[in-house]
Structure formats: structure tokens, C-alpha cells
Amino acid sequence: MEQFLAFGIVGLSTAAIYAVIGSGLVLTYTTTGVFNFAHGAAGMVSAFVYWQLSVGWGWPVPLALAAVLLVFAPAFGLFFGRTLAPTQGLGDAEKLVMTIALLSGLIVLARWVWNPNESRSLPRFFPEQPSIDLGVVTLTWHQALTIAVAIAVAIALRILLYRTRTGVEMRATVDDRALVGLTGADPQRANRIAWILGIELAAIGGILIAPMVTLDAAQLSLLIVSAYTAAIFGRLRNLPMVFVGAVVVGLLESYLTGYLPQNEYLPGLRLAAPALLLFVALLLFPHGRLRGRDRKVGAVPLPTLGGSAAFAAVIVTLGLMLATMLSEPDLITYGAMFAWGVIALSYVPLLGFAGQISLCQLGLAGIGAVAYGHLGPDGQWWALFAAMGIAGLVGAVIAIPALRLSGVYMALATAAFAVVLDRWIFTLPAFEILGVRIALFDQGSVSIVGPDLFGLKVETTAGITVFAAMCLAVAGIGVALLRRSRFGRRLIALRDSEAAYATLGGSLLLARVTVFALSAAIAGLGGALYGMQVQAVAPDQFNLVAGLPIFLIVTIAGLGAIGAGMFTGLVFAGPLNVIPVLWPGLLNLSQVLPSLGGILFGGGVLKDGAIAPMRREWLPMLRDRVVAPLLVAAVLALWGLRLLEAIDGWGFTAGVVVATVAARIWSSARHRPAADPSVVPVEWWGIRRPWTADDEEVLDRAVTTAS
């Protein structure tokens, strides 16, 4: 009994921290309409800053706390408020982009500033004080402090939101900013206060929980999963239920630590328990309308068959160029762009066409990689299709229970699934079900070889690169055909209005399960191709944090664009690898680029995606019957010179860039409309041509219209 109570005390102290963090999350959501995925990262950065001041620089604890909670956290809250303000008026996926960009970027930034290879720890508060004796159990002063802080936060928030004018303004702002402004209130001030308080609570939670765990950027940031679960218990608006959910999560973690049987299959269950509980809570609790949700969505481009075929040919040609020009180490690095492109392409039918948000695509890619590795140890061709089928089946399994979820709730569910895969499923040793042996990573890595295509063994890295390029080309044509099909149009209708789609006789279950399975199969193909490229894969390569940059780059490219896959592959395996080679000191900066791009995108710089303006700018040149063939000839000539070793790789790259820019300028000059000599500017009337009686009347009308 004493042990049970002791674990209960530990669970309640942890629950108090989750309650504080979850309260800040709900506070910002109910007052700004933005679900902040980077809430945990804000607490993580605050904990690192507190460590730097108190331990790294030796400041007294009260002074360090005051600096973090009274200076850094409020300033950080203003930064969040200003950065996330442009998300108003964007769709569900676009709203998530900026918070996910901040989550990913803050993790990279923390690893940049505080070397993750150095061990850091924070002392608990009042470590010298004797524990509080409660009879059967004892309570440390740190645990007592966390519980007291949680109670104080609960009382203060209740008074603020329901007993003060500021709290009423904060709650009303998200529903109708214009109406709140007419009452004489300041919606912007209310939002600023909400962000300051929300990040303040995240900072308090981060500082309180940091002494209990290792100071690791990703681990601290993903502790927010437990706070997500508490927030879902409160349906993102009920603070008392948030505290109830926090108690459930805290006690669950503590009792699993104490009473979980000791065997090789269950250690990961304790780590994945909050994510599992989050997934269950999402399914069981009723969810109302997402506050501030905007259903305005953009049009999905309709690709032409000719354009899709030409783009596929370009992809295969690029694969051949890389295979013949790059060395073996460079091919492993840069040739992976096609595998990343296939994984990124899986977002297009799911998120671009159907509007279903998923943050577990890289985890599904990991399932495809490990399935192919075990089923095709000698590269059996059918193992690739089997891996796609297994990944597709897992995607369908995700879609069926999550049928009633959408928007933020779907993002949370798929993020929870990704965490379960990473922390538990991928760490399991081999096991048997109904006599069938199932092996995943088997607590290690899985070796993967190239396919055996009916006697043609693809063994070399160059051959695998070309094969991956061909798979990306075929997958791109398949997605283009899907967009042009009747089912593709039905998916877009589903994205525009699920209620209208169901009213007109469409089956939500069939549509969502099908598109999830299709998207997961494509991701599984990409995972298998990536495994072939790098020859061996491990669980860390397919976790939630590693998949966030892919989601960001795909969204930047344009969710409905077929070229989003190749765009993502080029960015992910191109500049992010080239920059550190050219400038080693910019390694950390290159890693944060996807996050910076996501923030710029969310700010409205690229509302239509990057591919749409690129298509408008470059398509006329590619259709020019004079310029386009000459550009192709120039690129092929440079390729020939590279194969003859007349130029090196950098010379080839520079030549292609120069030829492309020159072709663009030439094409623009060829199609620029000639000036009409009969048209005389208004300032030259009466000089280059005689003044007429009608000129005065024309000018008067123009001035009147302008005024």
C-alpha cells in the first residue's frame, strides 16, 4: 500500500506539471483560435534558458527565475503572438504549418545553442530541505511546489477568464474580432495577453519538469503529448477537465513505471502510454466545432497528361544524370531525393486532394521499409508491392477509428500514432501472432538491398537511384491520373465539405479509408526506396520530429501540386546537404531552413504554394518551340562534357544554371509585346502629337474617377 501511495504522489506531482502546461495550451486556443503545436517547445527553450542562467552562468536561483518568467517568457509570448497572427483566415493545414514550423525550428535552435552531446541536468527546488512526512509516504519540497503551483494556476485562470473584463475580451476575440472591437475593446491587446500568459505557463511547466528528466530538446518538446491528452480531456476549452486529464495521465505514467511487468515487450509501452491515451481520448470524447476554424480552401491544380508525362521524363533523366556523374558517397546522399520525393508525394492525395491532415507519413514509410527488408532479403520484386500493401493496410486501420476526426483533431491523432510507432512498436523484438513470426527493427537496424526485377538485379547505388527516379515518375503520373479521375473529384468535394459530400450520397468511410490506404502505400514505397538507397535503416530515422520538415516543405511547395514530391526531394536532399559542404559553419542554419520557410509561408508570402508562381513564370519558356529545344540541347551537351570529364560537377551545375537563366531571359524577350508607336503617353500630348479638344475632357474624367 505504501508503494502504491508513493507512486500516486509521484504521479500527482507530474500531473500538476501537465496541468500547468495544458492550461496554457487551452488558454491560447480558446482566446486566439490557434492550436499551438510548439507550446511544449516554448517550455523546452525556457528550461534551457533557466539552466544557462542558474547552472551555466551561476546566477542565484531567484534571479534566474525572475529573468526567465518576468522577462524572457513574456517576450517569447509576444514573439509567438506576432509570428502566429497571420494564421487568421488560413485553412486547417496552413494554420498548423506555422506552429509545426516553430516546433521543428525551436528544437533545431536548442540543439544549435546547447550541444546535445553534452549532458545537462537541473537540480530540484529546495533539495536541501527534508522531505515532508505524510505518515505512510513522504513528499519532497519540489513535488509540493509543483502541486501548489498547479492549484494556484487553476484558481488564477478561473478568476481571470470569468471574473475580469480582460478575460471576457480574451474569450470573445476568437469568435468575432470585429464585434469585440465595436464594443471598445482591443482584440489585439487581448491576444497579446493570451500569448504572454500561455507561454508563461509553458515556461513554468518546462522549468518544473526539467529536473525530473534529461535536458534534451526533442524529449522535452514531446512531453507536450501528455499535455495534449489533458487538453483533449477538457475538449480544448474546459480548464477543470484539463486538470482531470492531467491527473489521469500522470497517474497512468507513474503506475506503469511501478507495476508494469518486466519483459522485453513492455518497456516502450510506458513511454508511449500518453500518446495511446491521447488517441483513445480523441476517439471517445465528443468534439465540437473547432474554434476559429476556416473552411476556405484553394483550388487544386488540374495536371495535363502531356505535362505529367514530360515531368516524369525529366525526373528519370535527372536520375540518370545523378547516377552517371556522382560518386558512391554522393549518390547515397543526393540520390535519396527520389525516395524523399515519393514520401512527400503521399501527402498530395491525402492532404492536397482530400484535406485530411496526417503527421505520421514518415512512420508509415518506416513500416514500408522494414516490411520490404524482411520480406525481400534478396530483393524479391513482389516484396515491394507487399510492403506497399502492408503500409496501406496500416493507413486504413488509422482511418477507420479516426473517421469522426478532422482538422486539428486528426493532426493530433496521427501525431500520437507516430509517437506510438517511434517509442513502442518500432522498439519491439520479434514476436508471433497465430504462428506467424513478425519482426520489425528487432531492437536494431534492418539491412535492405535493391530489387531483383525478373533476373535484373539492381545492386549498385547508381542503379537504385535510377530505379527510385522511375518509381517517383510512375507514382507522379498515377497521382495525376487520380486527380483527373472521378474519384479524385470526389476527394476534392470531400475536402470542401464533408457534410455536403455525405448528403449527396458519398460514403465518408469508403473515401477516407481509401485515400488513407493509398497515401500510406505511397509512403511505404518511399520508405522502401530510402532503405535501398542507404542500405540499412533504424527506428530513429522515422520518428515524428524527423518527419516534420517533410510536412513543412510539402506545404510550402503546394499541397495539391503533383510536383510537390520532386520539389521536396530536391530541397530535402539538395540545399540542406549542399550548404554544409560549401560552408561547414552553416550546418545548423541549413537544418532550420524548413522551419523558416514554414513561418514565411504561414505569414502569407506563399499562400498558393511555391510551385504555382514557378509554373506561371517558367512554363511559357518551356513551351517555347525555339528556346526549349535549345535549352535541352545545352543541358545534354553539358552532361556529355561531364561524362568526358571535361568539366567537374560544379562546372556542370553552374553551366545548367547559366543556360536556364539565359533561356528564361531570351524567352521573355521573344514574347514581350512590341510597343505601339501610335500610343503616346499622356505627358507628351501636345508635344509628340497635336493637342485636341477631346484631350481636356479625357483628362477631366480621369481626374474625377481617381478622386
Side-chain angles (χ1 to χ4, degrees), residues 675-690 695 699:
D676 187 354
S678 63
V679 177
V680 179
V682 63
E683 61 269 19
W684 292 99
W685 289 1
I687 300 176
R688 292 186 177 178
R689 69 166 176 78
D695 290 344
L699 292 177

Side-chain angles (χ1 to χ4, degrees), residues 3-21 124 134 137-140 142-151 208-209 212 230 242-257:
Q3 186 182 28
F4 181 84
L5 292 176
F7 282 120
I9 292 295
V10 173
L12 288 176
S13 63
T14 307
I17 299 173
Y18 293 157
V20 171
I21 300 175
R124 297 172 185 258
L134 299 179
V137 295
T138 58
L139 183 69
T140 67
H142 186 94
Q143 292 171 334
L145 176 64
T146 57
I147 295 174
V149 168
I151 295 173
L208 289 175
I209 204 170
M212 304 179 184
V242 171
F243 279 72
V244 172
V247 170
V248 172
V249 176
L251 292 178
L252 176 66
E253 290 183 355
S254 182
Y255 287 130
L256 283 177
T257 301

Side-chain angles (χ1 to χ4, degrees), residues 435-516:
V436 178
R437 185 178 185 272
I438 299 177
L440 298 172
F441 289 94
D442 204 8
Q443 299 180 324
S445 61
V446 176
S447 298
I448 300 179
V449 300
D452 186 349
L453 303 176
F454 306 102
L456 177 61
K457 186 70 173 178
V458 183
E459 296 179 317
T460 64
T461 305
I464 292 173
T465 300
V466 176
F467 177 71
M470 294 173 64
C471 289
L472 176 58
V474 172
I477 292 177
V479 174
L481 293 174
L482 173 66
R483 170 62 183 89
R484 298 178 61 87
S485 68
R486 184 170 182 267
F487 182 64
R489 294 190 293 271
R490 292 171 71 89
L491 290 178
I492 295 172
L494 172 68
R495 179 201 64 162
D496 293 342
S497 175
E498 293 183 0
Y501 181 83
T503 302
L504 295 175
S507 173
L508 291 175
L509 175 61
L510 179 62
R512 292 184 67 171
V513 169
T514 302
V515 71
F516 257 94

Side-chain angles (χ1 to χ4, degrees), residues 7 40 99 104 117 168 198 274 367 392 461 467 544 559 586 639 662 688:
F7 282 120
T99 60
S104 179
N117 296 322
V168 175
I367 292 175
T461 305
F467 177 71
L544 173 64
L559 291 172
L586 299 181
W639 185 16
R688 292 186 177 178

Side-chain angles (χ1 to χ4, degrees), residues 8-236:
I9 292 295
V10 173
L12 288 176
S13 63
T14 307
I17 299 173
Y18 293 157
V20 171
I21 300 175
S23 298
L25 181 67
V26 172
L27 175 66
T28 53
Y29 180 69
T30 55
T31 54
T32 67
V34 176
F35 188 90
N36 185 15
F37 267 84
H39 193 73
M44 174 270 296
V45 173
S46 300
F48 269 101
V49 172
Y50 172 68
W51 176 90
Q52 186 64 53
L53 297 178
S54 62
V55 178
W57 294 343
W59 288 21
V61 169
L63 182 59
L65 281 175
V68 174
L69 299 180
L70 301 181
V71 179
F72 176 78
F76 209 24
L78 290 175
F79 164 76
F80 266 79
R82 181 177 295 274
T83 303
L84 297 176
T87 57
Q88 298 291 337
L90 297 179
D92 291 333
E94 288 80 3
K95 285 181 180 179
L96 290 176
V97 165
M98 289 187 67
T99 60
I100 291 176
L102 285 170
L103 168 61
S104 179
L106 289 175
I107 291 175
V108 174
L109 182 63
R111 289 172 173 172
W112 185 355
V113 177
W114 294 279
N115 187 352
N117 296 322
E118 297 180 7
S119 177
R120 295 178 179 84
S121 61
L122 272 172
R124 297 172 185 258
F125 289 100
F126 309 113
E128 304 298 330
Q129 298 295 325
S131 300
I132 303 172
D133 189 1
L134 299 179
V136 293
V137 295
T138 58
L139 183 69
T140 67
W141 279 94
H142 186 94
Q143 292 171 334
L145 176 64
T146 57
I147 295 174
V149 168
I151 295 173
V153 166
I155 296 173
L157 287 179
R158 182 70 183 183
I159 294 174
L160 171 67
L161 293 177
Y162 295 96
R163 294 292 185 269
T164 66
R165 177 179 175 81
T166 300
V168 175
E169 290 177 358
M170 290 165 62
R171 290 187 293 114
T173 297
V174 69
D175 292 325
D176 196 325
R177 294 175 63 89
L179 184 59
V180 172
L182 291 176
T183 65
D186 186 352
Q188 293 184 353
R189 183 179 70 89
N191 280 358
R192 285 196 297 268
I193 294 175
W195 280 113
I196 290 174
L197 291 178
I199 301 303
E200 187 82 25
L201 293 176
I204 293 173
I207 291 173
L208 289 175
I209 204 170
M212 304 179 184
V213 297
T214 304
L215 271 177
D216 177 77
Q219 181 181 354
L220 274 176
S221 298
L222 291 184
L223 284 173
I224 191 64
V225 172
S226 301
Y228 287 164
T229 308
I232 292 301
F233 266 76
R235 298 173 62 186
L236 298 180

Side-chain angles (χ1 to χ4, degrees), residues 652-677:
F652 171 81
T653 303
V656 170
V657 171
V658 170
T660 304
V661 172
R664 173 73 177 84
I665 296 173
W666 184 22
S667 176
S668 299
R670 278 172 45 82
H671 296 283
R672 185 180 299 117
D676 187 354

